[in-house]
Amino acid sequence: LKTQTKNRLFLRPEEITPCAESICGSTNVRTSKSHYHKLKQRLPTTQRNVGDLIFYFVVVGVLFATAGCEPISLVGGSWHTKHRWNAEDFFDDPQLLELCAAIEADDADTARQLIDAGIDVNTIGNSGVTPLLWAFPGNINRCFSLLLDKGADPNVRITKRIGVGNPNVKDTTVTILAARSGSSSQFERVMSNGGNPHETQQYMKRTLLHVIIAHAFVPERNQKLALLLPYGPNLNYMSAMEETPMMAAVARGNLEAARMLIEAGADPN
């Protein structure tokens, strides 16, 4: 493998097929155990150990991403602590800080008491951060649902990237985040509580349809598409890449999504 790729770590597209044929005896490149060990035996001992680490980290990462989960951090604390989402950086009101603490603990009872005492659930802090955004990551389902029930707006746009790691929330909204990385139940809750079906992601001017169909590792992709279509999104909107949702579905081999779009009235021409 090193000889064929001239000591480079990664393969060019045109090199994948011949390498697969010589190492695995097949052009069907897979991360199966048997194929991996055939490759491993071709490498010196030091490279085998490094290969083991890379292989298993990649496989675990893909499994987490496919399942729509956040990778496990080795640092203790809540999701917000691990990703350096510090409420004090966005809010000054002590009651809002108390609400954020309740949200992080998914303490819906305390959150309800604070909201009923007069906290505005649509308070917008620095960088466009809202209590609803605070409740989106980390599987904080009870507080997330509570805030939506209390009238939180999922369409407030976040103006800057905050914290570290995923999710990158800059220039997005909770509606976009729910479409991109939330569960189908989260997305359904957002759409039934004011989510904008015409919301557009600033990056590449992608609509919710584009995000659901074209973004990598969207959990429950077609279920979300089925949930969105009754709200009447623009089926023929062209992104900055001059790609309609239909084109995105076909290009990615998602024929079920293409069928759903056609049945909803999308123009394939």
Side-chain angles (χ1 to χ4, degrees):
L1 179 61
K2 285 186 65 179
T3 301
Q4 292 190 36
T5 59
K6 297 190 172 114
N7 296 317
R8 284 180 284 101
L9 180 60
F10 300 106
L11 297 174
R12 295 193 181 106
E14 65 270 17
E15 295 167 339
I16 291 175
T17 298
C19 282
E21 288 175 331
S22 63
I23 294 166
C24 306
S26 169
T27 59
N28 183 17
V29 181
R30 297 174 294 172
T31 53
S32 71
K33 200 171 206 180
S34 61
H35 285 195
Y36 169 67
H37 285 293
K38 286 181 182 179
L39 168 61
K40 181 178 170 183
Q41 295 307 314
R42 300 289 184 97
L43 300 175
T45 303
T46 303
Q47 290 177 313
R48 291 182 195 178
N49 295 335
V50 174
D52 278 335
L53 288 174
I54 294 173
F55 179 78
Y56 288 115
F57 271 117
V58 168
V59 169
V60 170
V62 169
L63 288 174
F64 270 107
T66 303
C69 302
E70 291 292 337
I72 298 173
S73 172
L74 299 179
V75 182
S78 69
W79 187 99
H80 299 73
T81 301
K82 295 171 188 175
H83 293 82
R84 299 181 193 172
W85 284 32
N86 302 312
E88 294 82 0
D89 295 337
F90 308 102
F91 301 109
D92 298 322
D93 187 333
Q95 284 192 313
L96 279 169
L97 295 178
E98 192 176 348
L99 176 61
C100 287
I103 289 171
E104 290 182 36
D106 203 13
D107 183 354
D109 294 333
T110 299
R112 182 178 289 104
Q113 291 174 5
L114 290 166
I115 294 169
D116 290 343
I119 288 183
D120 182 1
V121 296
N122 285 311
T123 299
I124 301 176
N126 295 333
S127 303
V129 173
T130 64
L132 185 63
L133 173 65
W134 213 255
F136 175 76
N139 295 317
I140 304 174
N141 296 321
R142 294 174 62 214
C143 284
F144 187 74
S145 294
L146 171 65
L147 288 163
L148 287 171
D149 289 340
K150 293 292 185 177
D153 182 2
N155 303 309
V156 176
R157 193 165 291 274
I158 300 100
T159 57
K160 293 181 181 179
R161 181 165 189 161
I162 62 176
V164 297
N166 289 324
N168 178 11
V169 299
K170 181 182 177 182
D171 290 328
T172 66
T173 66
V174 170
T175 301
I176 293 172
L177 290 173
R180 191 172 80 185
S181 58
S183 65
S184 61
S185 60
Q186 273 185 315
F187 184 61
E188 182 177 24
R189 294 282 290 138
V190 166
M191 294 309 299
S192 62
N193 285 273
N196 179 9
H198 308 293
E199 192 69 88
T200 304
Q201 185 174 267
Q202 293 300 309
Y203 175 70
M204 295 296 180
K205 300 296 181 184
R206 287 175 165 177
T207 65
L208 285 184
L209 284 175
H210 289 95
V211 170
I212 291 171
I213 293 169
H215 196 81
F217 302 125
V218 172
E220 303 173 291
R221 191 185 304 273
N222 287 353
Q223 292 94 317
K224 289 179 181 175
L225 178 59
L227 289 168
L228 176 60
L229 288 174
Y231 288 92
N234 187 339
L235 300 174
N236 300 309
Y237 184 92
M238 189 101 43
S239 71
M241 295 184 69
E242 298 186 349
E243 184 179 60
T244 65
M246 170 74 73
M247 293 164 65
V250 173
R252 289 157 183 82
N254 190 343
L255 301 186
E256 175 63 17
R259 181 190 63 77
M260 294 165 68
L261 289 167
I262 287 176
E263 290 180 353
D267 183 0
N269 300 311

